[in-house]
C-alpha cells in the first residue's frame, strides 16, 4: 500500500517543500486521544547526529557587487560609484537591434543594461521596487529577461535588455506592488528570476549536512550560489511507535507534521500522503538508526531554506548523475574539452549545464544552475562535498 501511495503521489507535479531541521518529539493533537512519543534532547540547540554539523548561527549578509562580481570588466576598479555606492558598472558596448535579447544569448550585456536602468529609475523615483522574470516573446520565439518595477508615483513598468541598453516591454506578469528594494536588487551578483522582497544571500553557512539546489555558479568555477536546508529525521524506535493523529516535531528541521489517519509506525504518512519515511538519503552515521521524510520521486523533504554564496574548492569532493541526462552531447563536447584538474570544472554537470544546456542563461560571469544538491556538506565553513542530481 505504501508503494502504491508513492506511485500515485509521484504522478503529481513536484515542487520542493522547505522545512527546517528538528529534534524528534511527538505530541498528540489536542483534540485527539493519541499517544505521546518523545526522544531525548541532546542539547539546547537542535542538531542531527552527523559529525559535520554544528549549531552555530550563520551571519546573514547581503552580498554586494564588490564581493561577488567575477567578470574582468567589473574587477578592474575597486572604487565605489559615489552616486550609487556600488561597484562601477562597465559596459561591453553591445549594439541595439530593437528586439529583446534572448535568455540563452551567451554574449550579452544584460547585467549592465538592467542595473544601469535601475540606477536611473531610483535616481528619478526613489523607493521604487524591482524584480526579474522571464517572458516568452513571439518575435524571437523564445524567452527574454524582463525587469519589472513598481512605484506609487508612476505605477508599474517593464523593460527588456537590448544590447547594452533597455527598451520598454509589455509584460504578461502580474507585477507585485512590493518587490526587491534598491539596495537588495543592486547587490544581486547576477540576473535571476525573483520578485520576493526578503531575498538575502549569506556569506557564512554553519557546518552541517544539507539538501538544496544550485541557483547559479560562476563560469570560472570559483563560486556557487545555492539554496540549502536541513532534512527531517526521526529515530527508528520513535517511528515504530507512531499512531494516527500524532504530531511529530522532526529532528534536524524542527518542522511538525501529523500522522495521517489509517497509517502508523514506520509505514506512517504525513500531510495527506505527501510525505513518508525513508532511508535513501540518510547520512552514513545515521543509517540503521534513523528514518527521514521523503516525497515524490524520492526527493528528501527539507526546510528552513536559506541562500548562500560560497567558494567552490578546487579539490571539492563531488559526484553527479548528469552524464545520463546529457548523454552523447557531453561525450561529443568532452572530446575537445581540456581538463583543468578542478573537480567542479571537469564534472559532467558543469560541462553539460554550461555548454550543452540550451536553457541555461548567463549574466555577469554566472551561469544559471539546474541541479539538486543531495546533499551538500559544509565543513570548517567551506563546501566539503556535493552530489549534483536531476529528476
Amino acid at each position: 500500500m505504501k508503494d502504491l501511495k508513492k506511485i500515485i503521489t509521484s504522478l503529481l507535479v513536484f515542487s520542493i517543500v522547505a522545512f527546517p531541521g528538528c529534534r524528534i518529539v511527538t505530541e498528540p493533537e489536542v483534540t485527539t486521544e493519541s499517544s505521546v512519543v518523545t526522544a531525548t534532547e541532546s542539547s539546547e540547540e537542535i542538531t542531527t547526529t552527523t559529525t559535520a554539523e554544528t549549531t552555530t548561527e550563520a551571519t546573514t549578509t547581503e552580498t554586494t557587487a564588490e564581493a561577488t562580481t567575477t567578470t574582468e570588466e567589473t574587477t578592474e576598479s575597486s572604487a565605489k560609484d559615489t552616486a550609487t555606492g556600488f561597484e562601477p558598472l562597465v559596459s561591453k558596448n553591445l549594439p541595439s537591434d530593437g528586439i529583446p535579447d534572448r535568455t540563452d544569448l551567451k554574449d550579452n550585456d544584460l547585467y549592465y543594461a538592467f542595473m544601469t536602468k535601475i540606477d536611473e529609475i531610483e535616481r528619478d523615483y526613489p523607493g521604487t521596487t524591482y524584480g526579474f522574470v522571464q517572458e516568452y516573446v513571439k518575435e524571437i520565439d523564445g524567452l527574454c529577461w524582463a525587469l519589472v518595477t513598481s512605484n506609487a508615483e508612476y505605477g508599474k513598468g517593464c523593460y527588456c535588455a537590448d544590447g547594452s541598453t533597455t527598451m520598454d516591454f509589455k509584460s504578461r506578469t502580474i507585477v507585485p506592488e512590493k518587490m526587491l528594494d534598491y539596495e537588495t536588487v543592486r547587490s544581486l551578483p547576477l540576473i535571476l528570476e525573483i520578485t520576493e522582497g526578503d531575498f538575502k544571500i549569506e556569506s557564512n553557512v554553519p557546518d552541517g549536512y544539507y539538501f538544496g539546489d544550485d541557483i547559479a555558479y560562476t563560469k570560472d568555477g570559483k563560486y556557487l550560489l545555492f539554496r540549502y536546508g536541513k532534512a527531517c529525521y526521526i529515530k527508528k524506535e520513535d517511528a515504530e511507535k507512531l499512531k494516527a493523529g500524532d504530531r511529530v516535531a522532526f529532528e534536524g528541521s524542527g518542522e511538525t507534521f501529523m500522522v495521517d489517519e489509517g497509517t502508523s509506525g514506520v509505514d506512517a504518512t504525513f500531510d495527506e500522503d505527501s510525505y513518508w519515511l525513508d532511508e535513501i538519503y540518510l547520512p552514513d552515521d545515521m543509517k540503521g538508526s534513523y528514518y527521514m521524510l521523503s516525497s515524490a520521486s524520492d526527493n528528501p523533504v527539507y526546510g528552513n531554506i536559506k541562500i548562500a554564496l560560497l567558494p567552490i574548492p578546487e579539490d571539492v569532493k563531488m559526484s553527479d548523475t548528469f552524464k545520463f541526462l546529457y548523454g552523447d552531447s557531453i561525450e561529443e563536447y568532452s572530446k575537445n574539452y581540456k581538463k583543468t584538474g578542478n573537480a567542479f570544472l571537469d564534472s559532467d554537470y558543469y560541462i553539460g549545464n554550461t555548454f550543452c544546456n540550451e536553457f541555461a542563461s548567463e549574466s555577469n560571469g554566472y551561469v544559471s544552475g539546474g541541479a539538486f544538491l543531495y546533499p551538500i556538506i559544509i565543513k570548517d565553513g567551506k563546501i566539503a562535498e556535493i552530489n549534483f542530481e536531476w529528476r
Side-chain angles (χ1 to χ4, degrees):
M1 178 62 72
K2 178 180 174 184
D3 289 339
L4 178 59
K5 291 174 180 176
K6 285 188 178 183
I7 293 172
I8 294 173
T9 305
S10 65
L11 295 176
L12 302 175
V13 177
F14 171 71
S15 61
I16 299 176
V17 182
F19 302 103
C22 57
R23 61 172 178 261
I24 308 166
V25 179
T26 64
E27 58 185 33
E29 178 77 352
V30 176
T31 57
T32 63
E33 296 184 1
S34 55
S35 61
V36 179
V37 184
T38 61
T40 304
E41 298 176 25
S42 58
S43 65
E44 181 177 336
E45 190 71 21
I46 298 167
T47 66
T48 67
T49 60
T50 56
T51 57
E53 184 172 338
T54 67
T55 57
T56 56
E57 290 294 324
T59 302
T60 301
T61 59
E62 292 184 21
T63 58
T64 65
E66 180 180 27
T68 60
T69 302
T70 60
T71 59
E72 292 181 3
E73 294 92 339
T74 52
T75 54
E76 289 177 353
S77 171
S78 59
K80 291 284 188 178
D81 185 310
T82 56
T84 66
F86 293 99
E87 188 81 19
L89 296 166
V90 179
S91 175
K92 292 182 180 179
N93 297 314
L94 298 181
S96 169
D97 60 8
I99 61 174
D101 291 343
R102 291 171 60 110
T103 57
D104 57 1
L105 181 64
K106 304 304 180 185
D107 184 21
N108 63 65
D109 208 10
L110 60 91
Y111 188 85
Y112 172 85
F114 282 142
M115 294 304 176
T116 300
K117 184 65 175 179
I118 287 169
D119 287 345
E120 175 189 316
I121 295 173
E122 190 67 21
R123 184 168 55 249
D124 296 337
Y125 300 97
T128 297
T129 59
Y130 310 86
F132 295 110
V133 296
Q134 293 187 61
E135 296 267 3
Y136 176 78
V137 181
K138 185 176 181 180
E139 184 179 8
I140 60 175
D141 190 25
L143 297 172
C144 79
W145 282 108
L147 164 66
V148 290
T149 66
S150 180
N151 182 282
E153 182 177 347
Y154 78 82
K156 298 178 180 180
C158 184
Y159 313 87
C160 63
D162 180 17
S164 295
T165 62
T166 60
M167 56 186 286
D168 290 342
F169 179 74
K170 187 175 182 180
S171 173
R172 299 180 182 84
T173 299
I174 299 176
V175 181
E177 296 290 343
K178 182 68 175 175
M179 298 177 285
L180 304 175
D181 60 26
Y182 176 70
E183 294 294 324
T184 301
V185 74
R186 277 294 268 113
S187 69
L188 294 178
L190 75 161
I191 304 303
L192 67 159
E193 195 160 26
I194 182 172
T195 56
E196 293 87 346
D198 59 352
F199 186 87
K200 290 181 174 62
I201 300 176
E202 300 175 345
S203 58
N204 298 289
V205 178
D207 287 1
Y209 193 101
Y210 301 100
F211 295 91
D213 64 281
D214 70 323
I215 299 172
Y217 52 82
T218 54
K219 198 169 184 178
D220 61 12
K222 293 184 177 180
Y223 288 88
L224 181 70
L225 180 67
F226 62 99
R227 297 180 187 87
Y228 68 98
K230 293 183 179 180
C232 304
Y233 303 108
I234 184 170
K235 289 180 180 178
K236 283 194 171 184
E237 56 263 37
D238 291 332
E240 291 167 354
K241 302 173 185 177
L242 293 177
K243 296 179 180 178
D246 282 348
R247 293 181 63 83
V248 184
F250 284 87
E251 182 176 343
S253 71
E255 279 295 313
T256 301
F257 295 95
M258 181 182 293
V259 177
D260 291 334
E261 290 297 325
T263 69
S264 62
V266 298
D267 293 319
T269 62
F270 307 81
D271 196 24
E272 298 181 356
D273 283 355
S274 295
Y275 313 124
W276 46 82
L277 302 177
D278 216 327
E279 301 178 272
I280 296 176
Y281 286 105
L282 280 171
D284 288 341
D285 59 354
M286 298 177 74
K287 290 179 179 177
S289 56
Y290 277 85
Y291 288 109
M292 62 181 283
L293 275 190
S294 184
S295 61
S297 299
D298 294 324
N299 284 278
V301 178
Y302 54 95
N304 193 19
I305 302 298
K306 296 180 181 179
I307 297 171
L309 177 68
L310 292 183
I312 306 173
E314 290 191 7
D315 60 350
V316 64
K317 183 178 180 181
M318 66 164 290
S319 57
D320 71 77
T321 60
F322 279 80
K323 188 172 185 177
F324 299 101
L325 178 62
Y326 293 111
D328 293 341
S329 58
I330 282 186
E331 292 289 344
E332 191 63 31
Y333 193 91
S334 296
K335 290 178 182 179
N336 298 313
Y337 182 77
K338 186 177 180 180
K339 291 300 180 72
T340 65
N342 180 303
F344 178 65
L345 292 177
D346 293 341
S347 69
D348 289 329
Y349 171 61
Y350 175 83
I351 296 173
N353 189 70
T354 307
F355 305 109
C356 305
N357 182 8
E358 61 179 310
F359 301 108
S361 64
E362 295 184 20
S363 63
N364 199 35
Y366 283 79
V367 180
S368 62
F372 294 117
L373 310 180
Y374 290 173
I376 178 167
I377 300 173
I378 307 298
K379 189 173 183 180
D380 298 328
K382 301 177 182 179
I383 298 175
E385 184 174 343
I386 322 175
N387 177 45
F388 292 87
E389 290 201 10
W390 60 277
R391 291 288 185 275

